[in-house]
C-alpha cells in the first residue's frame, strides 16, 4: 500500500482521467479503462499521469520526456498506444505504425486489441529502453 500522498496523487490522476473521458464515446472510455488496467499490470513501477490539453495519459519511469515509456492518445474513434523510442524496438508481428524517427504507435479500436500477441513485449521493451536511458536497474514486471 502506498503512502497517503501516493494515494492522493493516484486519486487526483484518476479524477483528471475521468474528467477527460467524459467527452469521449462510451466505447472509447471502456477501451481507455481497459488499457490503463493492462498497462498498470505490465508496468507496476511506472507512474501514470494525464495531460488534458494533449488528451493523453502518460506512463513514465522518471522525470521529463527522457523518463517517458508510453502514452495513451485518445480520439473519438479509439486510442493509440504510443511507444517512446518505438522505432528502435523489435516488432516481429508488425504491430507498430507511424513513420517518425523515434516513436511508433499501435492503434487500439477494441478491448480485444489489448490481447494481440507481441503487444506486452513491445510495452516491456519500451520500459526497458526508458530505464536504460535513465540508467536505472530493470525491475521485474508482473507476468
Amino acid at each position: 500500500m502506498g503512502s497517503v500522498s501516493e494515494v492522493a496523487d493516484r486519486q487526483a490522476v484518476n479524477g483528471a482521467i475521468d474528467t477527460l473521458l467524459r467527452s469521449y464515446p462510451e466505447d472509447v472510455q471502456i477501451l481507455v479503462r481497459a488499457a490503463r488496467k493492462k498497462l498498470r499490470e505490465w508496468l507496476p513501477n511506472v507512474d501514470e499521469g494525464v495531460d488534458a490539453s494533449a488528451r493523453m495519459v502518460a506512463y513514465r519511469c522518471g522525470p521529463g520526456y527522457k523518463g517517458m515509456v508510453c502514452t495513451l492518445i485518445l480520439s473519438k474513434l479509439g486510442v493509440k498506444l504510443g511507444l517512446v523510442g518505438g522505432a528502435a524496438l523489435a516488432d516481429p508481428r508488425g504491430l507498430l505504425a507511424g513513420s517518425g524517427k523515434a516513436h511508433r504507435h499501435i492503434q487500439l479500436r477494441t478491448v480485444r486489441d489489448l490481447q494481440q500477441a507481441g503487444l506486452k513485449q513491445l510495452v516491456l521493451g519500451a520500459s526497458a529502453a526508458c530505464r536504460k536511458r535513465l540508467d536505472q536497474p530493470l525491475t521485474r514486471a508482473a507476468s
Side-chain angles (χ1 to χ4, degrees):
M1 182 131 181
S3 70
V4 172
S5 66
E6 288 171 335
V7 171
D9 288 346
R10 245 180 281 130
Q11 288 173 338
V13 168
N14 288 338
I17 292 171
D18 287 343
T19 299
L20 177 62
L21 287 178
R22 286 187 195 123
S23 64
Y24 289 91
E26 184 177 355
D27 59 328
V28 172
Q29 293 181 35
I30 291 167
L31 179 55
V32 170
R33 287 186 182 103
R36 289 180 64 211
K37 181 178 179 184
K38 193 60 75 174
L39 288 171
R40 287 191 308 265
E41 174 188 316
W42 293 341
L43 304 169
N45 299 316
V46 170
D47 293 326
E48 181 183 50
V50 64
D51 182 340
S53 64
R55 298 189 166 277
M56 75 175 186
V57 181
Y59 296 84
R60 20 178 112 251
C61 61
Y65 186 74
K66 187 176 181 181
M68 184 100 54
V69 175
C70 62
T71 58
L72 293 175
I73 305 162
L74 288 61
S75 77
K76 300 288 184 188
L77 300 176
V79 178
K80 288 180 181 174
L81 171 58
L83 298 176
V84 175
L89 297 174
D91 181 23
R93 302 205 182 256
L95 299 178
L96 295 172
S99 59
K101 282 184 177 181
H103 308 302
R104 296 290 186 272
H105 69 272
I106 299 147
Q107 182 68 53
L108 305 173
R109 296 196 191 284
T110 69
V111 172
R112 200 170 325 131
D113 290 341
L114 293 166
Q115 304 304 319
Q116 295 177 86
L119 181 62
K120 178 180 179 181
Q121 290 73 22
L122 287 169
V123 171
L124 294 179
S127 177
C130 177
R131 293 195 187 281
K132 186 175 179 181
R133 285 191 305 273
L134 296 172
D135 197 30
Q136 291 181 357
L138 294 175
T139 57
R140 187 174 181 103
S143 304

